[in-house]
Amino acid sequence: MKVAIVRERRADERRVAASPDTVKTMVGMGLEPVIESGAGAGACFPDDLYSAAGATIAADPAAALAEADIVLKVQRPLLGGADGTDELGPIKSGAALIGLLQPLQSPVDVEAYAGAGIAAFAMELIPRITRAQTMDVLSSQANLAGYKAVLDAAAEFGRAFPMMMTAAGTIKAARVLVMGAGVAGLQAIATARRLGAIVSATDVRAAAKEQVESLGASFLTVDEAAMRAAETAGGYAREMDEEFQRRQREKVTEALRRTDIVICTALIPGRRAPVLLTETMVAGMAPGSVIVDLAVEAGGNVAGSRPGEVVNTANGVKILGHLNVPSRIAVDASQLYARNLLAFLALLVDKEGNLRIDTADEIVKATLLTLDGAIVNPALAPTPAIEPASPGPTPS
């Protein structure tokens, strides 16, 4: 089978869906990888490395996608934007499309996949089960995002991170607060600790407390009983009620008075990101403080953050809203993402090298969006109409 990898054309995207290492493994699986020329340039993978691994180099996306049985992407295909680029049209009916397709945010695109007769798989829907760990793209990319967030903060911070004792006096260690102790948050904690900062963290899930403390950071607890009920079966956090959020804001506001850097990482799948820092809370921070909003593309955890910008507030606080943070470390992000896709491919390719979509497999079922011209994912199924209830007795 022919596997196509094309150059990513969305803004701020430097990653690529296959590395020379994964291409070599695909060839060993009996697949025929075809790489669009320049697809790996943003991740420092030149065409000759792909060729040496056994891939065919195509001159343009149309040539790469022609007759491809499987298409590997990072971002969802363009459907014919202002520049006329259409990445979906050249994909043949019956092919499998695998990537970060953002189905909950882009339902029109999902309808287009069904209309094109494509079997589309959204990698962000990989279930959080042991068997799927090697395919978990959200974790692999969030891990790098948490690391990069601390480096970005350090670059904007006008002071050093570690405590330094010099003949001219002692420099105090920077104080870092990480909000959201998921994969990105835990890596941010570890990175800030390695740089010598004093780190604390907060999360709505009680299970995060032990993880945070195991990394040498202190944990800000709001309500342990409410926190124990906040974690879903998949390991994500539920949105908390207004009372909990109010108490959390009070706790965080107190901590912000002695905090230099805040890393915000809170996301709710399929929902707008919760606001963790209000304008009043930001206004209470000391001049020179830095906030990194990793959720800026999902609405933002910080009031006043703007996608793709560094905002300087009136009181001298910087709010960083960099887009597509994993792509800012494109080499490693591409390597990890490509390995995630390779592990997922093993579920779809049988021993004879043929495409086999086993809808009984829980991982395949969870990620499959469209098949045979229909939208098949339960999360995207239209809500059935509710029959009006027959009039009952009026309550007294």
Side-chain angles (χ1 to χ4, degrees):
M1 286 192 301
K2 183 176 176 180
V3 181
I5 297 95
V6 296
R7 179 171 60 84
E8 298 294 322
R9 286 172 166 77
R10 291 189 180 272
D12 302 302
E13 187 53 77
R14 304 174 185 86
R15 293 171 293 178
V16 62
S19 67
D21 288 341
T22 61
V23 162
K24 186 175 181 179
T25 303
M26 288 182 211
V27 173
M29 295 168 62
L31 303 175
E32 299 179 15
V34 180
I35 312 287
E36 180 190 355
S37 180
C44 300
F45 300 146
D47 292 348
D48 58 354
L49 288 183
Y50 287 116
S51 296
T56 300
I57 305 300
D60 53 48
L65 294 170
E67 299 306 313
D69 301 289
I70 298 173
V71 178
L72 303 182
K73 290 275 289 142
V74 179
Q75 300 273 2
R76 67 189 193 279
L78 292 166
L79 302 183
D83 62 353
T85 302
D86 181 7
E87 296 181 300
L88 184 62
I91 302 176
K92 72 177 185 180
S93 178
L97 168 66
I98 307 170
L100 294 167
L101 304 183
Q102 297 184 315
L104 300 178
Q105 297 88 344
S106 310
V108 173
D109 292 40
V110 178
E111 293 174 3
Y113 307 148
I118 291 170
F121 294 88
M123 291 298 291
E124 55 266 74
L125 299 183
I126 290 283
R128 285 195 162 173
I129 58 176
T130 302
R131 191 166 66 91
Q133 285 183 343
T134 56
M135 312 168 202
D136 189 350
V137 297
L138 293 184
S139 292
S140 73
Q141 302 303 290
N143 191 55
L144 290 171
Y147 164 79
K148 183 61 174 171
V150 175
L151 297 190
D152 287 339
E156 297 286 349
F157 190 48
R159 293 169 43 201
F161 264 50
M163 182 183 75
M164 296 183 184
M165 300 180 69
T166 75
T170 300
I171 297 173
K172 294 181 180 179
R175 291 184 175 271
V176 176
L177 172 63
V178 178
M179 303 192 70
V183 175
L186 292 174
Q187 182 56 249
I189 291 169
T191 302
R193 288 273 299 156
R194 284 195 292 267
L195 291 177
I198 298 171
V199 185
S200 58
T202 182
D203 195 284
V204 299
R205 298 165 300 129
K209 183 175 186 292
E210 183 178 349
Q211 296 169 319
V212 166
E213 292 176 345
S214 72
L215 293 173
S218 58
F219 189 77
L220 302 183
T221 303
V222 179
D223 182 338
E224 288 197 23
M227 291 165 66
R228 280 194 291 271
E231 187 170 358
T232 68
Y236 296 101
R238 291 189 178 92
E239 188 170 14
M240 304 301 287
D241 60 32
E242 180 55 38
E243 173 61 19
F244 182 93
Q245 293 182 39
R246 182 189 63 78
R247 285 183 290 162
Q248 184 186 46
R249 283 194 291 269
E250 290 175 355
K251 189 83 171 180
V252 171
T253 299
E254 180 185 348
L256 289 176
R257 298 191 184 101
R258 53 183 185 277
T259 298
D260 302 302
I261 292 169
V262 183
I263 311 291
C264 294
T265 73
L267 289 168
I268 301 172
R271 301 279 299 278
R272 183 181 176 88
V275 175
L276 304 180
L277 297 184
T278 64
E279 290 183 2
T280 302
M281 295 166 76
V282 173
M285 295 184 69
S289 300
V290 178
I291 304 170
V292 181
D293 190 351
L294 283 179
V296 69
E297 294 173 271
N301 290 152
V302 185
S305 67
R306 293 198 289 268
E309 297 184 28
V310 175
V311 176
N312 293 283
T313 69
N315 62 314
V317 175
K318 289 186 178 181
I319 307 174
L320 279 57
H322 294 306
L323 298 173
N324 198 351
V325 175
S327 184
R328 292 164 61 82
I329 317 178
V331 177
D332 290 329
S334 296
Q335 288 276 19
L336 296 183
Y337 182 74
R339 291 172 193 158
N340 292 146
L341 291 187
L342 184 65
F344 185 74
L345 269 181
L347 298 179
L348 304 180
V349 179
D350 62 23
K351 294 180 180 179
E352 286 71 41
N354 299 313
L355 181 64
R356 184 176 62 88
I357 300 174
D358 180 9
T359 55
D361 185 290
E362 61 182 323
I363 300 174
V364 173
K365 182 179 179 180
T367 55
L368 183 62
L369 305 179
T370 59
L371 184 66
D372 297 329
I375 297 174
V376 298
N377 195 289
L380 304 173
T383 304
I386 300 175
E387 298 273 343
S390 58
T394 302
S396 57

